[in-house]
Amino acid sequence: METNLRLLRLVRRYMRRDDQPRHRPRHSSLRRPQPSSLSNLKHLQNLRLHKIPNLVGQIPQSITQLTLLRYLDISWTNISGPVPHFLAHLNNLVFLDLSFNRLSGSIPPSLTNLPSIRAIDLSRNQLTGPIPELFMTRSTTDFATLDLSDNNLSGQLPASFSKINFSSVDISRNGFSGDASVLFGKGATSIVISWNDFKFDFSKVAFSESLFVLDVSHNRIYGTIPQQITEVYYLQSQSLNVSYNRLCGKIPSGWELKYNSSFFHNKCLCGPPLDPCK
């Protein structure tokens, strides 16, 4: 750990180093590309480049020389270009966070080959296209974390997701369609699929007892709300949102429901906290 901290301090000194002329024009803007010297840090296991707005350009292929890397966080920067396919060569990578950048293009299918990955965050970029088949299935089937929110992704969820027991999944604010019920009925604590175009029968899904965040709002989900949802102890209405769908029938009773906005704008839902059923 001490070695990693020392190497990270070296990285930070590099990023602050002034490699421009000492007397720059007052209004010039220093925009620094990814430092190629990072590839010399052969023993680095944790790399975090976070909230560095002057960090621009594409992620260099030389990063694959960091063969011991387990934690890679390049977030809240101005890096651009595609999500590199060569990241699949980081065989020890467990955590990948490339959120809040300007990455574009599709998710490379090569990322399905990461043998150790357990958490991926590609949120808040400009990614397009579908999620690759077998995504994250090689590395884990339990307690995986995935965040692809706030992109322009589309298509249906991979059938292989049925093999993954997600701990947390957020794919909100994209253009996904089809059936998302594959995410339910396992051990997830948080499922957020809002602001998509999903269409499936909500009455047929099952809920994990550990679930405490569920947001399926702004889709085309139909059916009724299953009575079994009242057995999910931690899921209170402040962490539940099924609004703006096509749900019908009586809202299950026997649990604490405080906010009717969680149920607004459905086809024919009724009962507390909405209007009585007729």
Side-chain angles (χ1 to χ4, degrees), residues 1-18 32 35-44 46-49 52 66:
M1 179 64 72
E2 183 178 349
T3 300
N4 283 335
L5 291 175
R6 185 164 62 250
L7 290 171
L8 284 174
R9 284 195 289 269
L10 174 62
V11 172
R12 294 184 66 182
R13 285 201 298 272
Y14 182 94
M15 297 307 298
R16 289 197 296 262
R17 191 180 67 192
D18 185 2
R32 196 179 306 279
S36 59
S37 61
L38 285 178
S39 61
N40 296 326
L41 306 177
K42 301 297 185 181
H43 300 285
L44 193 66
N46 303 306
L47 175 58
R48 187 170 191 245
L49 303 175
I52 307 175
L66 304 177

Side-chain angles (χ1 to χ4, degrees), residues 120-164:
I120 294 180
D121 188 348
L122 302 178
S123 62
R124 300 275 181 164
N125 280 288
Q126 301 160 23
L127 302 177
T128 57
I131 301 174
E133 188 61 43
L134 302 178
F135 192 60
M136 298 186 75
T137 55
R138 180 181 176 187
S139 58
T140 181
T141 56
D142 291 312
F143 306 111
T145 299
L146 177 64
D147 191 343
L148 301 176
S149 61
D150 288 274
N151 279 285
N152 296 307
L153 297 166
S154 59
Q156 299 191 13
L157 300 186
S160 56
F161 272 12
S162 62
K163 302 177 182 179
I164 302 177

Side-chain angles (χ1 to χ4, degrees), residues 182-199:
V182 68
L183 300 174
F184 292 82
K186 291 171 281 189
T189 59
S190 177
I191 299 175
V192 182
I193 62 172
S194 56
W195 293 92
N196 279 287
D197 195 29
F198 288 119
K199 184 179 181 181

Side-chain angles (χ1 to χ4, degrees), residues 70-73 93-97 116-121:
R70 292 174 56 84
Y71 178 103
L72 177 58
D73 179 352
L93 198 63
V94 175
F95 179 94
L96 175 63
D97 185 350
S116 305
I117 199 73
R118 299 189 73 87
I120 294 180
D121 188 348

